Amino acid sequence: MPAAKRERPEPYLMKAAIAMAGESLEEAVGIVKEACEVAVPAEVVESGGEGFQPATAQLDCIRNAYAFLCEYGKFQEVLALEPRCKIMYKAMGQDLTLNQYFLSCTVLMLATSGFDAAWSLFESHLQDTEYLHSELCKAAENLLVALRSYDEEQLAEAKKQRRILSLSPYVLRALDRLTSEGVEAPLPEQLTSAGPAAATEAPPLIIDNSLPPSEVKETEAGTNDANLNDELDALNIGGDDDDDDELDLT
């Protein structure tokens, strides 16, 4: 008689995090981090994902962790997911999803750390060839260039780009607070433990563009116009294990 298939722990950890969020958001975030560490262990991160063959439950964990952390305004934790996201999405052949994550990170870095940090992060993402030649990369570049030029009209147009508008509504909420003078970011501690709440007005974080960074390498708009039909169910736990289609980070 064949041995029973061992169930992955990640779905149960994510369910526990969701249940805990109403009582203690800090503990819930800790559980989400634990789930991500199980999905992509530290030794896999250290090896750069060499030979990594994840199961669908591990992929779902990373996607749902991203959605959970965005929803609760834990943007620094979203940014900290990058090594595991890169390994997971590369292993599963989901370059589009990874590119969406990169664009989201540029926006969130602007909201949490300002222009210089966001530009440095963007430049690091250019090492990924798929991203470099994608429309998502071009959208990030247009956003950063508009900020650097202090052009409010150009920034407004950059915010309306199709690839920008396809991002998570929680990422777009942070983007809405971005102006040519700086950004008023919704702070995580201004969100209630019971769930996302409208952040109070925060003093603007002024962007220092006095020493503009070097010009970004010219990128060609990608031809990847894949129909983004499959949208990430923000907290879809334990979905169809046979559905490995690439999903939007929305």
Side-chain angles (χ1 to χ4, degrees), residues 49-217:
E50 185 177 356
F52 185 49
Q53 296 180 323
T56 302
Q58 292 164 275
L59 171 64
D60 289 342
C61 174
I62 296 298
R63 288 196 308 235
N64 291 324
Y66 168 88
F68 180 97
L69 295 170
C70 279
E71 183 174 353
Y72 284 93
K74 295 298 183 180
F75 297 149
Q76 292 291 355
E77 285 80 0
V78 172
L79 294 168
L81 277 178
E82 180 166 329
R84 288 181 162 86
C85 283
K86 288 172 65 175
I87 289 170
M88 180 63 71
Y89 296 141
K90 286 292 185 183
M92 300 297 279
Q94 297 198 351
D95 289 323
L96 176 59
T97 306
L98 178 58
N99 292 348
Q100 288 177 311
Y101 174 76
F102 283 159
L103 176 56
S104 295
C105 284
T106 297
V107 174
L108 295 180
M109 188 65 85
L110 279 167
T112 57
S113 303
F115 179 87
D116 289 341
W119 187 278
S120 295
L121 181 65
F122 171 70
E123 286 190 319
S124 73
H125 292 159
L126 298 183
Q127 298 175 29
D128 187 291
T129 304
E130 290 290 336
Y131 183 64
L132 175 63
H133 297 291
S134 72
E135 291 182 354
L136 291 141
C137 178
K138 189 65 177 177
E141 179 190 358
N142 291 342
L143 181 63
L144 289 165
V145 169
L147 274 167
R148 193 177 60 188
S149 65
Y150 291 102
D151 188 325
E152 198 67 43
E153 183 176 340
Q154 186 179 356
L155 177 59
E157 288 301 314
K159 289 181 178 182
K160 295 177 184 178
Q161 295 174 100
R162 180 169 61 95
R163 294 302 190 183
I164 293 283
L165 295 177
S166 72
L167 299 178
S168 161
Y170 302 104
V171 175
L172 294 179
R173 182 184 297 173
L175 180 62
D176 284 343
R177 302 171 68 85
L178 191 64
T179 74
S180 60
E181 296 299 324
V183 60
E184 296 178 353
L187 302 177
E189 47 269 35
Q190 292 173 323
L191 301 174
T192 68
S193 60
T200 58
E201 289 299 315
L205 174 61
I206 301 301
I207 300 172
D208 181 7
N209 290 345
S210 58
L211 295 174
S214 58
E215 289 293 327
V216 65
K217 296 178 182 178

Side-chain angles (χ1 to χ4, degrees), residues 7 10-12 14-15 18 56-57 60-61 63-64 233 235-242:
E7 293 189 56
E10 293 92 343
Y12 300 98
M14 289 303 302
K15 285 181 180 179
I18 294 167
T56 302
D60 289 342
C61 174
R63 288 196 308 235
N64 291 324
D233 180 355
L235 297 174
N236 175 29
I237 304 299
D240 185 359
D241 285 348
D242 293 326

